Amino acid sequence: MSSDCFTLPLQQQLGEKSGSMNKIVIKDLHIGYADKIVANGLNGEVRGGQLTALVGTNGVGKSTLLRTLAGLLPALGGTMLIADDKGNSRSVEELSKREMARTVSVVLTAQPDIRHITVGEVVAMGRMPYTGFFGTLSNDDQGIVDESLAITGITKFAQRQFHALSDGERQKVMTAKALAQQTPIIILDEPTAFLDYPTKVETMKTLRRLANDLGKTILLSTHDLGLALHHADRLLLLSEDLREISKSELQTYIQNQN
């Protein structure tokens, strides 16, 4: 995947940057499961136009937080709002499934076991919130799918069977599907986990440009602190609480670990 792919057609197909950007506002949020509270009283926000990296030790609850923000897990308490810079906001819990599908796209570490379907067809599933029950793609829909394939560098895989791909290739397909969904908010759980280092870097660069140039709100978790340090606009640390940390703080932490 090359950042050179990020050209004007992307802006035309995946949506021009608008004057109003979405952000996620977290207020006294409790996350976890029916039998286990993972974290309490989280507060913070994820801003539009920035690539935000969520960091923290293994097992601290990064995936649980992302799933909760995406509406895949119910919050145990508190509030999650999707707000714009004009003062309008709605609770995630108030949004219908269709509204959520047009607002937030998600890329999880666990990949679906999809068989007898091509890469292009998987990416086209990202258009389902717009195509209706039968999923017939218009020319515009197909253009968005093609552009999403190009941005993630997998156009050459379009006719291959999804289940025949490597873990890293599958991860790129799911990212392309999220792009095709054309949402203002993208949440990714360890999107570079299965990629080689050059592709990790290109993935981070592309996500940052999507945020910066198109005003998308992009939140990703990563255990690769070096990638977060060099490529994220903003860093959120999940530990006993959720707080923003500076790049100098992260740099000091990395140096102390060596």
Side-chain angles (χ1 to χ4, degrees):
M1 174 170 43
S2 171
S3 57
D4 292 339
C5 293
F6 193 99
T7 55
L8 182 59
L10 174 66
Q11 294 178 332
Q12 294 171 337
Q13 297 286 358
L14 298 187
E16 295 285 354
K17 182 174 179 177
S18 66
S20 179
M21 291 186 288
N22 287 274
K23 65 179 178 180
I24 304 171
V25 180
I26 303 165
K27 297 182 178 180
D28 194 30
L29 184 65
H30 307 291
I31 61 172
Y33 306 88
D35 58 346
K36 181 183 179 182
I37 295 176
V38 174
N40 281 320
L42 303 180
N43 294 279
E45 65 179 36
V46 183
R47 300 167 187 162
Q50 296 181 335
L51 175 61
T52 301
L54 177 66
V55 298
T57 58
N58 289 336
V60 75
K62 297 190 297 297
S63 293
T64 303
L65 175 58
L66 294 186
R67 287 173 176 268
T68 305
L69 295 177
L72 302 178
L73 285 175
L76 301 182
T79 305
M80 302 173 290
L81 300 174
I82 295 177
D84 63 30
D85 50 15
K86 296 180 180 178
N88 304 308
S89 65
R90 293 186 69 185
S91 168
V92 168
E93 291 86 355
E94 294 175 353
L95 298 176
S96 67
K97 289 184 178 180
R98 185 177 180 84
E99 288 174 319
M100 279 296 291
R102 291 189 173 197
T103 305
V104 181
S105 52
V106 186
V107 179
L108 300 176
T109 304
Q111 299 163 349
D113 184 16
I114 301 174
R115 294 183 177 274
H116 310 300
I117 188 169
T118 67
V119 166
E121 290 168 336
V122 173
V123 176
M125 289 179 181
R127 300 304 301 158
M128 289 180 66
Y130 311 95
T131 57
F133 180 78
F134 293 103
T136 302
L137 298 182
S138 67
N139 289 338
D140 286 344
D141 290 321
Q142 188 60 57
I144 291 169
V145 170
D146 292 343
E147 191 66 31
S148 301
L149 289 164
I151 290 302
T152 49
I154 57 172
T155 300
K156 62 184 177 182
F157 299 153
Q159 298 306 314
R160 290 179 59 183
Q161 293 290 308
F162 179 80
H163 73 270
L165 302 180
S166 68
D167 286 341
E169 290 166 343
R170 291 186 190 188
Q171 194 75 352
K172 288 200 244 182
V173 174
M174 301 314 294
T175 300
K177 176 179 173 289
L179 293 183
Q181 201 169 327
Q182 211 177 17
T183 56
I185 298 172
I186 304 176
I187 293 175
L188 307 100
D189 190 9
E190 297 283 358
T192 62
F194 304 111
L195 307 179
D196 57 48
Y197 187 76
T199 308
K200 288 176 189 278
V201 171
E202 291 300 335
T203 297
M204 293 291 285
K205 286 181 177 179
T206 298
L207 291 173
R208 188 173 187 176
R209 296 193 70 177
L210 282 166
N212 295 170
D213 291 1
L214 298 187
K216 289 184 181 290
T217 304
I218 302 185
L219 172 65
L220 64 85
S221 66
T222 182
H223 66 276
D224 193 323
L225 301 183
L227 279 179
L229 179 66
H230 290 102
H231 299 289
D233 294 303
R234 189 162 175 260
L235 304 167
L236 290 178
L237 173 65
L238 179 61
S239 53
E240 293 83 8
D241 57 7
L242 181 67
R243 66 183 181 89
E244 183 175 2
I245 61 171
S246 67
K247 291 199 172 185
S248 61
E249 286 180 87
L250 183 57
Q251 179 70 67
T252 299
Y253 174 82
I254 293 173
Q255 290 173 345
N256 289 338
Q257 298 305 301
N258 296 328

